[in-house]
Amino acid sequence: MKRPWLSRNLALLTLISLTQDAASELLYPLLPILLTGVIGAAPLALGLIEGCAEAAAGFTKLIAGKSSDTYGRKPFVIAGYSLAGVGKAMVVFAAGWPLVLFGRVTDRIGKGMRSAPRDALIHDSVPKEHLGKAFGFHRTGDNIGAVIGPGLALIGLALLDDDVRAVAKWAIIPAILSGFLTLLVKEKYVKPKIEEKIQKVKTPLPTSLKRAISILVLIQLTNIPDALLLLRLHDIGFSTNGVVLSYMLFSAVTVVAALPAGIVADKLSPRIVYAIGLLAFATAYLTLGFTQNHTLALIALGVYGLFPALTDGVGKAWIAGLSEDHHRGRAQGVYQASMNFAVLGAGIWGGATWSSGSIEWPLVIAAIGGAIGSLTLATIHLRRVRP
């Protein structure tokens, strides 16, 4: 009898991600305003904080992914979601940007600790032919939380007279709930025999897997942290409520598109779906880089919502499909860590060149990079399917 694609673990891990993302995305659209408006830091600090946070997640993913191939997935999932809650508490109580940096790094270390083991556990819990659908479903739940979070932020801003710091403290509640839910996850990992352990040490990652990771990481160097996009909205005149509402729109589009993207990736090719996602990225960044019109900016942010829907879960499913049982956690760790390091580079160059002017050139440059990446993946796909 075939295993159902919607397993208990997949449903539970999706609910855990939903609650954690509700906490993260309640806080995230407020972060640029909290940092630059309330605390008084410069845009460079914002780019540096987000870049360092992603790099910290990257280092942790390398260790956690590989270690989960030996010790199991569940301990890293529990520790990762719990540590993320601690990091969020540091951010919301911070009086200066260094503590915000420390809190964001702690939060992202938690993310790094859980991400690769969790994604390996998802793979272990569903049939291989439904990987795209499973990761798309998980991404959908993730982004339902990303809609709930900003919604809670809007309610808080209305009730607390736009007190950004007070509203940000609400993020601690769903973060704690997420940590408790991890205790219900069932371990699916089977410890390898001695000869399998030796094989894991000696066997390098497949060439096809390393090639795919290299291409995606090069493209990721254009992916400026989303916090700077939200700062762009603030720079062109959006209110705090407007920034949060815009972020809700972005997340809602991702919710709608993530599962269909995974299904299409299963039936066609993850390369072509990823290429379409990059095209949406380029279109949105180019528009946001040039326009100061609020309607156009909202449309662009809606288009940008297609980018994570068509790349995040699809990319993980792509890497999972190229990996073997004995190095699945390590493969996810290398892939996701490398992507995080690329975001560090993007955060530094994006924040350092940010001007808050009528034209935001870092966004324009990133759009050009995304378009080149889309064309590259489409060309590779056409070469592979050509008879």
Side-chain angles (χ1 to χ4, degrees), residues 166-190:
V167 175
K169 292 176 183 177
W170 287 17
I172 298 173
I173 298 171
I176 292 173
L177 176 60
S178 180
F180 278 117
L181 287 172
T182 60
L183 300 174
L184 303 177
V185 172
K186 285 190 174 182
E187 180 66 82
K188 290 289 185 179
Y189 179 73
V190 178

mmCIF file with all atom_site columns, all heavy atoms in Angstrom, residues 166-190:
data_model
loop_
_atom_site.group_PDB
_atom_site.id
_atom_site.type_symbol
_atom_site.label_atom_id
_atom_site.label_alt_id
_atom_site.label_comp_id
_atom_site.label_asym_id
_atom_site.label_entity_id
_atom_site.label_seq_id
_atom_site.pdbx_PDB_ins_code
_atom_site.Cartn_x
_atom_site.Cartn_y
_atom_site.Cartn_z
_atom_site.occupancy
_atom_site.B_iso_or_equiv
_atom_site.pdbx_formal_charge
_atom_site.auth_seq_id
_atom_site.auth_comp_id
_atom_site.auth_asym_id
_atom_site.auth_atom_id
_atom_site.pdbx_PDB_model_num
ATOM 1   N N   . ALA A 1 166 ? 6.254  47.646 21.649 1.00 0.00 ? 166 ALA A N   1
ATOM 2   C CA  . ALA A 1 166 ? 5.256  46.889 22.408 1.00 0.00 ? 166 ALA A CA  1
ATOM 3   C C   . ALA A 1 166 ? 4.615  45.805 21.552 1.00 0.00 ? 166 ALA A C   1
ATOM 4   O O   . ALA A 1 166 ? 4.393  44.677 22.013 1.00 0.00 ? 166 ALA A O   1
ATOM 5   C CB  . ALA A 1 166 ? 4.193  47.844 22.960 1.00 0.00 ? 166 ALA A CB  1
ATOM 6   N N   . VAL A 1 167 ? 4.327  46.151 20.308 1.00 0.00 ? 167 VAL A N   1
ATOM 7   C CA  . VAL A 1 167 ? 3.727  45.164 19.402 1.00 0.00 ? 167 VAL A CA  1
ATOM 8   C C   . VAL A 1 167 ? 4.710  44.038 19.093 1.00 0.00 ? 167 VAL A C   1
ATOM 9   O O   . VAL A 1 167 ? 4.337  42.863 19.028 1.00 0.00 ? 167 VAL A O   1
ATOM 10  C CB  . VAL A 1 167 ? 3.265  45.847 18.096 1.00 0.00 ? 167 VAL A CB  1
ATOM 11  C CG1 . VAL A 1 167 ? 2.755  44.804 17.094 1.00 0.00 ? 167 VAL A CG1 1
ATOM 12  C CG2 . VAL A 1 167 ? 2.177  46.872 18.389 1.00 0.00 ? 167 VAL A CG2 1
ATOM 13  N N   . ALA A 1 168 ? 5.980  44.391 18.918 1.00 0.00 ? 168 ALA A N   1
ATOM 14  C CA  . ALA A 1 168 ? 6.989  43.385 18.605 1.00 0.00 ? 168 ALA A CA  1
ATOM 15  C C   . ALA A 1 168 ? 7.080  42.311 19.690 1.00 0.00 ? 168 ALA A C   1
ATOM 16  O O   . ALA A 1 168 ? 7.384  41.148 19.398 1.00 0.00 ? 168 ALA A O   1
ATOM 17  C CB  . ALA A 1 168 ? 8.351  44.059 18.412 1.00 0.00 ? 168 ALA A CB  1
ATOM 18  N N   . LYS A 1 169 ? 6.778  42.674 20.931 1.00 0.00 ? 169 LYS A N   1
ATOM 19  C CA  . LYS A 1 169 ? 6.853  41.711 22.037 1.00 0.00 ? 169 LYS A CA  1
ATOM 20  C C   . LYS A 1 169 ? 5.826  40.588 21.891 1.00 0.00 ? 169 LYS A C   1
ATOM 21  O O   . LYS A 1 169 ? 5.999  39.504 22.467 1.00 0.00 ? 169 LYS A O   1
ATOM 22  C CB  . LYS A 1 169 ? 6.668  42.432 23.371 1.00 0.00 ? 169 LYS A CB  1
ATOM 23  C CG  . LYS A 1 169 ? 7.820  43.372 23.719 1.00 0.00 ? 169 LYS A CG  1
ATOM 24  C CD  . LYS A 1 169 ? 7.554  44.143 25.012 1.00 0.00 ? 169 LYS A CD  1
ATOM 25  C CE  . LYS A 1 169 ? 8.692  45.123 25.305 1.00 0.00 ? 169 LYS A CE  1
ATOM 26  N NZ  . LYS A 1 169 ? 8.434  45.944 26.522 1.00 0.00 ? 169 LYS A NZ  1
ATOM 27  N N   . TRP A 1 170 ? 4.767  40.828 21.136 1.00 0.00 ? 170 TRP A N   1
ATOM 28  C CA  . TRP A 1 170 ? 3.760  39.796 20.926 1.00 0.00 ? 170 TRP A CA  1
ATOM 29  C C   . TRP A 1 170 ? 4.347  38.560 20.223 1.00 0.00 ? 170 TRP A C   1
ATOM 30  O O   . TRP A 1 170 ? 3.810  37.466 20.319 1.00 0.00 ? 170 TRP A O   1
ATOM 31  C CB  . TRP A 1 170 ? 2.611  40.346 20.088 1.00 0.00 ? 170 TRP A CB  1
ATOM 32  C CG  . TRP A 1 170 ? 1.709  41.309 20.791 1.00 0.00 ? 170 TRP A CG  1
ATOM 33  C CD1 . TRP A 1 170 ? 1.954  41.984 21.958 1.00 0.00 ? 170 TRP A CD1 1
ATOM 34  C CD2 . TRP A 1 170 ? 0.415  41.721 20.368 1.00 0.00 ? 170 TRP A CD2 1
ATOM 35  N NE1 . TRP A 1 170 ? 0.905  42.788 22.283 1.00 0.00 ? 170 TRP A NE1 1
ATOM 36  C CE2 . TRP A 1 170 ? -0.065 42.657 21.334 1.00 0.00 ? 170 TRP A CE2 1
ATOM 37  C CE3 . TRP A 1 170 ? -0.394 41.419 19.287 1.00 0.00 ? 170 TRP A CE3 1
ATOM 38  C CZ2 . TRP A 1 170 ? -1.312 43.254 21.236 1.00 0.00 ? 170 TRP A CZ2 1
ATOM 39  C CZ3 . TRP A 1 170 ? -1.644 42.013 19.175 1.00 0.00 ? 170 TRP A CZ3 1
ATOM 40  C CH2 . TRP A 1 170 ? -2.100 42.931 20.139 1.00 0.00 ? 170 TRP A CH2 1
ATOM 41  N N   . ALA A 1 171 ? 5.438  38.749 19.510 1.00 0.00 ? 171 ALA A N   1
ATOM 42  C CA  . ALA A 1 171 ? 6.027  37.644 18.735 1.00 0.00 ? 171 ALA A CA  1
ATOM 43  C C   . ALA A 1 171 ? 6.502  36.494 19.628 1.00 0.00 ? 171 ALA A C   1
ATOM 44  O O   . ALA A 1 171 ? 6.641  35.357 19.167 1.00 0.00 ? 171 ALA A O   1
ATOM 45  C CB  . ALA A 1 171 ? 7.202  38.160 17.909 1.00 0.00 ? 171 ALA A CB  1
ATOM 46  N N   . ILE A 1 172 ? 6.738  36.785 20.895 1.00 0.00 ? 172 ILE A N   1
ATOM 47  C CA  . ILE A 1 172 ? 7.258  35.751 21.797 1.00 0.00 ? 172 ILE A CA  1
ATOM 48  C C   . ILE A 1 172 ? 6.249  34.625 22.005 1.00 0.00 ? 172 ILE A C   1
ATOM 49  O O   . ILE A 1 172 ? 6.624  33.458 22.153 1.00 0.00 ? 172 ILE A O   1
ATOM 50  C CB  . ILE A 1 172 ? 7.658  36.383 23.149 1.00 0.00 ? 172 ILE A CB  1
ATOM 51  C CG1 . ILE A 1 172 ? 8.782  37.413 22.929 1.00 0.00 ? 172 ILE A CG1 1
ATOM 52  C CG2 . ILE A 1 172 ? 8.112  35.326 24.148 1.00 0.00 ? 172 ILE A CG2 1
ATOM 53  C CD1 . ILE A 1 172 ? 9.129  38.213 24.177 1.00 0.00 ? 172 ILE A CD1 1
ATOM 54  N N   . ILE A 1 173 ? 4.949  34.943 21.979 1.00 0.00 ? 173 ILE A N   1
ATOM 55  C CA  . ILE A 1 173 ? 3.908  33.941 22.288 1.00 0.00 ? 173 ILE A CA  1
ATOM 56  C C   . ILE A 1 173 ? 3.865  32.810 21.264 1.00 0.00 ? 173 ILE A C   1
ATOM 57  O O   . ILE A 1 173 ? 3.996  31.636 21.625 1.00 0.00 ? 173 ILE A O   1
ATOM 58  C CB  . ILE A 1 173 ? 2.532  34.628 22.430 1.00 0.00 ? 173 ILE A CB  1
ATOM 59  C CG1 . ILE A 1 173 ? 2.565  35.631 23.587 1.00 0.00 ? 173 ILE A CG1 1
ATOM 60  C CG2 . ILE A 1 173 ? 1.433  33.582 22.660 1.00 0.00 ? 173 ILE A CG2 1
ATOM 61  C CD1 . ILE A 1 173 ? 1.336  36.517 23.686 1.00 0.00 ? 173 ILE A CD1 1
ATOM 62  N N   . PRO A 1 174 ? 3.682  33.092 19.948 1.00 0.00 ? 174 PRO A N   1
ATOM 63  C CA  . PRO A 1 174 ? 3.684  31.979 18.988 1.00 0.00 ? 174 PRO A CA  1
ATOM 64  C C   . PRO A 1 174 ? 5.029  31.274 18.897 1.00 0.00 ? 174 PRO A C   1
ATOM 65  O O   . PRO A 1 174 ? 5.086  30.078 18.580 1.00 0.00 ? 174 PRO A O   1
ATOM 66  C CB  . PRO A 1 174 ? 3.305  32.641 17.666 1.00 0.00 ? 174 PRO A CB  1
ATOM 67  C CG  . PRO A 1 174 ? 3.581  34.094 17.838 1.00 0.00 ? 174 PRO A CG  1
ATOM 68  C CD  . PRO A 1 174 ? 3.372  34.370 19.284 1.00 0.00 ? 174 PRO A CD  1
ATOM 69  N N   . ALA A 1 175 ? 6.122  31.981 19.197 1.00 0.00 ? 175 ALA A N   1
ATOM 70  C CA  . ALA A 1 175 ? 7.444  31.339 19.179 1.00 0.00 ? 175 ALA A CA  1
ATOM 71  C C   . ALA A 1 175 ? 7.534  30.258 20.252 1.00 0.00 ? 175 ALA A C   1
ATOM 72  O O   . ALA A 1 175 ? 8.066  29.163 20.015 1.00 0.00 ? 175 ALA A O   1
ATOM 73  C CB  . ALA A 1 175 ? 8.539  32.382 19.376 1.00 0.00 ? 175 ALA A CB  1
ATOM 74  N N   . ILE A 1 176 ? 7.002  30.529 21.427 1.00 0.00 ? 176 ILE A N   1
ATOM 75  C CA  . ILE A 1 176 ? 6.998  29.540 22.518 1.00 0.00 ? 176 ILE A CA  1
ATOM 76  C C   . ILE A 1 176 ? 6.111  28.348 22.145 1.00 0.00 ? 176 ILE A C   1
ATOM 77  O O   . ILE A 1 176 ? 6.478  27.181 22.359 1.00 0.00 ? 176 ILE A O   1
ATOM 78  C CB  . ILE A 1 176 ? 6.522  30.185 23.832 1.00 0.00 ? 176 ILE A CB  1
ATOM 79  C CG1 . ILE A 1 176 ? 7.561  31.209 24.330 1.00 0.00 ? 176 ILE A CG1 1
ATOM 80  C CG2 . ILE A 1 176 ? 6.255  29.130 24.901 1.00 0.00 ? 176 ILE A CG2 1
ATOM 81  C CD1 . ILE A 1 176 ? 7.102  32.014 25.536 1.00 0.00 ? 176 ILE A CD1 1
ATOM 82  N N   . LEU A 1 177 ? 4.946  28.615 21.568 1.00 0.00 ? 177 LEU A N   1
ATOM 83  C CA  . LEU A 1 177 ? 4.033  27.546 21.146 1.00 0.00 ? 177 LEU A CA  1
ATOM 84  C C   . LEU A 1 177 ? 4.704  26.622 20.135 1.00 0.00 ? 177 LEU A C   1
ATOM 85  O O   . LEU A 1 177 ? 4.593  25.390 20.219 1.00 0.00 ? 177 LEU A O   1
ATOM 86  C CB  . LEU A 1 177 ? 2.760  28.154 20.552 1.00 0.00 ? 177 LEU A CB  1
ATOM 87  C CG  . LEU A 1 177 ? 1.744  27.163 19.965 1.00 0.00 ? 177 LEU A CG  1
ATOM 88  C CD1 . LEU A 1 177 ? 1.256  26.196 21.038 1.00 0.00 ? 177 LEU A CD1 1
ATOM 89  C CD2 . LEU A 1 177 ? 0.569  27.918 19.334 1.00 0.00 ? 177 LEU A CD2 1
ATOM 90  N N   . SER A 1 178 ? 5.425  27.208 19.205 1.00 0.00 ? 178 SER A N   1
ATOM 91  C CA  . SER A 1 178 ? 6.130  26.427 18.198 1.00 0.00 ? 178 SER A CA  1
ATOM 92  C C   . SER A 1 178 ? 7.131  25.475 18.832 1.00 0.00 ? 178 SER A C   1
ATOM 93  O O   . SER A 1 178 ? 7.238  24.303 18.450 1.00 0.00 ? 178 SER A O   1
ATOM 94  C CB  . SER A 1 178 ? 6.842  27.372 17.224 1.00 0.00 ? 178 SER A CB  1
ATOM 95  O OG  . SER A 1 178 ? 7.540  26.648 16.245 1.00 0.00 ? 178 SER A OG  1
ATOM 96  N N   . GLY A 1 179 ? 7.866  25.964 19.835 1.00 0.00 ? 179 GLY A N   1
ATOM 97  C CA  . GLY A 1 179 ? 8.843  25.127 20.520 1.00 0.00 ? 179 GLY A CA  1
ATOM 98  C C   . GLY A 1 179 ? 8.200  23.932 21.212 1.00 0.00 ? 179 GLY A C   1
ATOM 99  O O   . GLY A 1 179 ? 8.720  22.804 21.143 1.00 0.00 ? 179 GLY A O   1
ATOM 100 N N   . PHE A 1 180 ? 7.058  24.135 21.849 1.00 0.00 ? 180 PHE A N   1
ATOM 101 C CA  . PHE A 1 180 ? 6.367  23.034 22.525 1.00 0.00 ? 180 PHE A CA  1
ATOM 102 C C   . PHE A 1 180 ? 5.859  21.984 21.536 1.00 0.00 ? 180 PHE A C   1
ATOM 103 O O   . PHE A 1 180 ? 5.887  20.780 21.807 1.00 0.00 ? 180 PHE A O   1
ATOM 104 C CB  . PHE A 1 180 ? 5.199  23.576 23.362 1.00 0.00 ? 180 PHE A CB  1
ATOM 105 C CG  . PHE A 1 180 ? 5.613  24.094 24.708 1.00 0.00 ? 180 PHE A CG  1
ATOM 106 C CD1 . PHE A 1 180 ? 5.437  25.424 25.042 1.00 0.00 ? 180 PHE A CD1 1
ATOM 107 C CD2 . PHE A 1 180 ? 6.186  23.243 25.649 1.00 0.00 ? 180 PHE A CD2 1
ATOM 108 C CE1 . PHE A 1 180 ? 5.822  25.904 26.291 1.00 0.00 ? 180 PHE A CE1 1
ATOM 109 C CE2 . PHE A 1 180 ? 6.583  23.713 26.897 1.00 0.00 ? 180 PHE A CE2 1
ATOM 110 C CZ  . PHE A 1 180 ? 6.398  25.049 27.228 1.00 0.00 ? 180 PHE A CZ  1
ATOM 111 N N   . LEU A 1 181 ? 5.381  22.415 20.378 1.00 0.00 ? 181 LEU A N   1
ATOM 112 C CA  . LEU A 1 181 ? 4.834  21.480 19.386 1.00 0.00 ? 181 LEU A CA  1
ATOM 113 C C   . LEU A 1 181 ? 5.893  20.518 18.840 1.00 0.00 ? 181 LEU A C   1
ATOM 114 O O   . LEU A 1 181 ? 5.567  19.413 18.404 1.00 0.00 ? 181 LEU A O   1
ATOM 115 C CB  . LEU A 1 181 ? 4.193  22.257 18.227 1.00 0.00 ? 181 LEU A CB  1
ATOM 116 C CG  . LEU A 1 181 ? 2.858  22.937 18.524 1.00 0.00 ? 181 LEU A CG  1
ATOM 117 C CD1 . LEU A 1 181 ? 2.444  23.829 17.345 1.00 0.00 ? 181 LEU A CD1 1
ATOM 118 C CD2 . LEU A 1 181 ? 1.766  21.906 18.802 1.00 0.00 ? 181 LEU A CD2 1
ATOM 119 N N   . THR A 1 182 ? 7.168  20.932 18.858 1.00 0.00 ? 182 THR A N   1
ATOM 120 C CA  . THR A 1 182 ? 8.218  20.052 18.330 1.00 0.00 ? 182 THR A CA  1
ATOM 121 C C   . THR A 1 182 ? 8.338  18.756 19.127 1.00 0.00 ? 182 THR A C   1
ATOM 122 O O   . THR A 1 182 ? 8.832  17.746 18.609 1.00 0.00 ? 182 THR A O   1
ATOM 123 C CB  . THR A 1 182 ? 9.591  20.755 18.335 1.00 0.00 ? 182 THR A CB  1
ATOM 124 O OG1 . THR A 1 182 ? 9.939  21.127 19.684 1.00 0.00 ? 182 THR A OG1 1
ATOM 125 C CG2 . THR A 1 182 ? 9.582  21.991 17.453 1.00 0.00 ? 182 THR A CG2 1
ATOM 126 N N   . LEU A 1 183 ? 7.877  18.761 20.366 1.00 0.00 ? 183 LEU A N   1
ATOM 127 C CA  . LEU A 1 183 ? 7.960  17.553 21.198 1.00 0.00 ? 183 LEU A CA  1
ATOM 128 C C   . LEU A 1 183 ? 7.085  16.429 20.656 1.00 0.00 ? 183 LEU A C   1
ATOM 129 O O   . LEU A 1 183 ? 7.290  15.253 20.998 1.00 0.00 ? 183 LEU A O   1
ATOM 130 C CB  . LEU A 1 183 ? 7.552  17.887 22.642 1.00 0.00 ? 183 LEU A CB  1
ATOM 131 C CG  . LEU A 1 183 ? 8.402  18.948 23.361 1.00 0.00 ? 183 LEU A CG  1
ATOM 132 C CD1 . LEU A 1 183 ? 7.805  19.285 24.720 1.00 0.00 ? 183 LEU A CD1 1
ATOM 133 C CD2 . LEU A 1 183 ? 9.844  18.481 23.513 1.00 0.00 ? 183 LEU A CD2 1
ATOM 134 N N   . LEU A 1 184 ? 6.110  16.756 19.792 1.00 0.00 ? 184 LEU A N   1
ATOM 135 C CA  . LEU A 1 184 ? 5.187  15.761 19.249 1.00 0.00 ? 184 LEU A CA  1
ATOM 136 C C   . LEU A 1 184 ? 5.693  15.117 17.962 1.00 0.00 ? 184 LEU A C   1
ATOM 137 O O   . LEU A 1 184 ? 5.087  14.167 17.469 1.00 0.00 ? 184 LEU A O   1
ATOM 138 C CB  . LEU A 1 184 ? 3.819  16.419 18.981 1.00 0.00 ? 184 LEU A CB  1
ATOM 139 C CG  . LEU A 1 184 ? 3.147  17.091 20.187 1.00 0.00 ? 184 LEU A CG  1
ATOM 140 C CD1 . LEU A 1 184 ? 1.847  17.761 19.749 1.00 0.00 ? 184 LEU A CD1 1
ATOM 141 C CD2 . LEU A 1 184 ? 2.889  16.088 21.305 1.00 0.00 ? 184 LEU A CD2 1
ATOM 142 N N   . VAL A 1 185 ? 6.789  15.618 17.417 1.00 0.00 ? 185 VAL A N   1
ATOM 143 C CA  . VAL A 1 185 ? 7.332  15.070 16.164 1.00 0.00 ? 185 VAL A CA  1
ATOM 144 C C   . VAL A 1 185 ? 7.854  13.658 16.400 1.00 0.00 ? 185 VAL A C   1
ATOM 145 O O   . VAL A 1 185 ? 8.440  13.354 17.444 1.00 0.00 ? 185 VAL A O   1
ATOM 146 C CB  . VAL A 1 185 ? 8.473  15.968 15.629 1.00 0.00 ? 185 VAL A CB  1
ATOM 147 C CG1 . VAL A 1 185 ? 9.179  15.313 14.450 1.00 0.00 ? 185 VAL A CG1 1
ATOM 148 C CG2 . VAL A 1 185 ? 7.920  17.328 15.229 1.00 0.00 ? 185 VAL A CG2 1
ATOM 149 N N   . LYS A 1 186 ? 7.651  12.763 15.420 1.00 0.00 ? 186 LYS A N   1
ATOM 150 C CA  . LYS A 1 186 ? 8.158  11.392 15.506 1.00 0.00 ? 186 LYS A CA  1
ATOM 151 C C   . LYS A 1 186 ? 9.435  11.255 14.689 1.00 0.00 ? 186 LYS A C   1
ATOM 152 O O   . LYS A 1 186 ? 9.473  11.653 13.525 1.00 0.00 ? 186 LYS A O   1
ATOM 153 C CB  . LYS A 1 186 ? 7.107  10.401 14.993 1.00 0.00 ? 186 LYS A CB  1
ATOM 154 C CG  . LYS A 1 186 ? 5.956  10.165 15.962 1.00 0.00 ? 186 LYS A CG  1
ATOM 155 C CD  . LYS A 1 186 ? 5.090  9.005  15.510 1.00 0.00 ? 186 LYS A CD  1
ATOM 156 C CE  . LYS A 1 186 ? 4.024  8.691  16.554 1.00 0.00 ? 186 LYS A CE  1
ATOM 157 N NZ  . LYS A 1 186 ? 3.201  7.528  16.151 1.00 0.00 ? 186 LYS A NZ  1
ATOM 158 N N   . GLU A 1 187 ? 10.438 10.723 15.313 1.00 0.00 ? 187 GLU A N   1
ATOM 159 C CA  . GLU A 1 187 ? 11.711 10.489 14.623 1.00 0.00 ? 187 GLU A CA  1
ATOM 160 C C   . GLU A 1 187 ? 11.540 9.396  13.578 1.00 0.00 ? 187 GLU A C   1
ATOM 161 O O   . GLU A 1 187 ? 10.978 8.336  13.850 1.00 0.00 ? 187 GLU A O   1
ATOM 162 C CB  . GLU A 1 187 ? 12.778 10.073 15.642 1.00 0.00 ? 187 GLU A CB  1
ATOM 163 C CG  . GLU A 1 187 ? 14.145 9.814  15.039 1.00 0.00 ? 187 GLU A CG  1
ATOM 164 C CD  . GLU A 1 187 ? 14.779 11.074 14.474 1.00 0.00 ? 187 GLU A CD  1
ATOM 165 O OE1 . GLU A 1 187 ? 15.364 11.842 15.247 1.00 0.00 ? 187 GLU A OE1 1
ATOM 166 O OE2 . GLU A 1 187 ? 14.666 11.260 13.247 1.00 0.00 ? 187 GLU A OE2 1
ATOM 167 N N   . LYS A 1 188 ? 11.991 9.647  12.348 1.00 0.00 ? 188 LYS A N   1
ATOM 168 C CA  . LYS A 1 188 ? 11.912 8.667  11.259 1.00 0.00 ? 188 LYS A CA  1
ATOM 169 C C   . LYS A 1 188 ? 13.288 8.166  10.845 1.00 0.00 ? 188 LYS A C   1
ATOM 170 O O   . LYS A 1 188 ? 13.408 7.355  9.929  1.00 0.00 ? 188 LYS A O   1
ATOM 171 C CB  . LYS A 1 188 ? 11.221 9.295  10.036 1.00 0.00 ? 188 LYS A CB  1
ATOM 172 C CG  . LYS A 1 188 ? 9.732  9.558  10.236 1.00 0.00 ? 188 LYS A CG  1
ATOM 173 C CD  . LYS A 1 188 ? 8.953  8.274  10.263 1.00 0.00 ? 188 LYS A CD  1
ATOM 174 C CE  . LYS A 1 188 ? 7.447  8.533  10.333 1.00 0.00 ? 188 LYS A CE  1
ATOM 175 N NZ  . LYS A 1 188 ? 6.681  7.272  10.326 1.00 0.00 ? 188 LYS A NZ  1
ATOM 176 N N   . TYR A 1 189 ? 14.296 8.663  11.520 1.00 0.00 ? 189 TYR A N   1
ATOM 177 C CA  . TYR A 1 189 ? 15.658 8.336  11.130 1.00 0.00 ? 189 TYR A CA  1
ATOM 178 C C   . TYR A 1 189 ? 16.068 6.971  11.672 1.00 0.00 ? 189 TYR A C   1
ATOM 179 O O   . TYR A 1 189 ? 15.810 6.645  12.830 1.00 0.00 ? 189 TYR A O   1
ATOM 180 C CB  . TYR A 1 189 ? 16.610 9.410  11.641 1.00 0.00 ? 189 TYR A CB  1
ATOM 181 C CG  . TYR A 1 189 ? 18.061 9.169  11.312 1.00 0.00 ? 189 TYR A CG  1
ATOM 182 C CD1 . TYR A 1 189 ? 18.521 9.343  10.018 1.00 0.00 ? 189 TYR A CD1 1
ATOM 183 C CD2 . TYR A 1 189 ? 18.947 8.761  12.291 1.00 0.00 ? 189 TYR A CD2 1
ATOM 184 C CE1 . TYR A 1 189 ? 19.849 9.123  9.712  1.00 0.00 ? 189 TYR A CE1 1
ATOM 185 C CE2 . TYR A 1 189 ? 20.280 8.552  11.990 1.00 0.00 ? 189 TYR A CE2 1
ATOM 186 C CZ  . TYR A 1 189 ? 20.721 8.734  10.695 1.00 0.00 ? 189 TYR A CZ  1
ATOM 187 O OH  . TYR A 1 189 ? 22.036 8.514  10.382 1.00 0.00 ? 189 TYR A OH  1
ATOM 188 N N   . VAL A 1 190 ? 16.684 6.159  10.832 1.00 0.00 ? 190 VAL A N   1
ATOM 189 C CA  . VAL A 1 190 ? 17.215 4.860  11.231 1.00 0.00 ? 190 VAL A CA  1
ATOM 190 C C   . VAL A 1 190 ? 18.735 4.972  11.283 1.00 0.00 ? 190 VAL A C   1
ATOM 191 O O   . VAL A 1 190 ? 19.372 5.317  10.280 1.00 0.00 ? 190 VAL A O   1
ATOM 192 C CB  . VAL A 1 190 ? 16.806 3.746  10.243 1.00 0.00 ? 190 VAL A CB  1
ATOM 193 C CG1 . VAL A 1 190 ? 17.410 2.413  10.667 1.00 0.00 ? 190 VAL A CG1 1
ATOM 194 C CG2 . VAL A 1 190 ? 15.287 3.651  10.166 1.00 0.00 ? 190 VAL A CG2 1
#
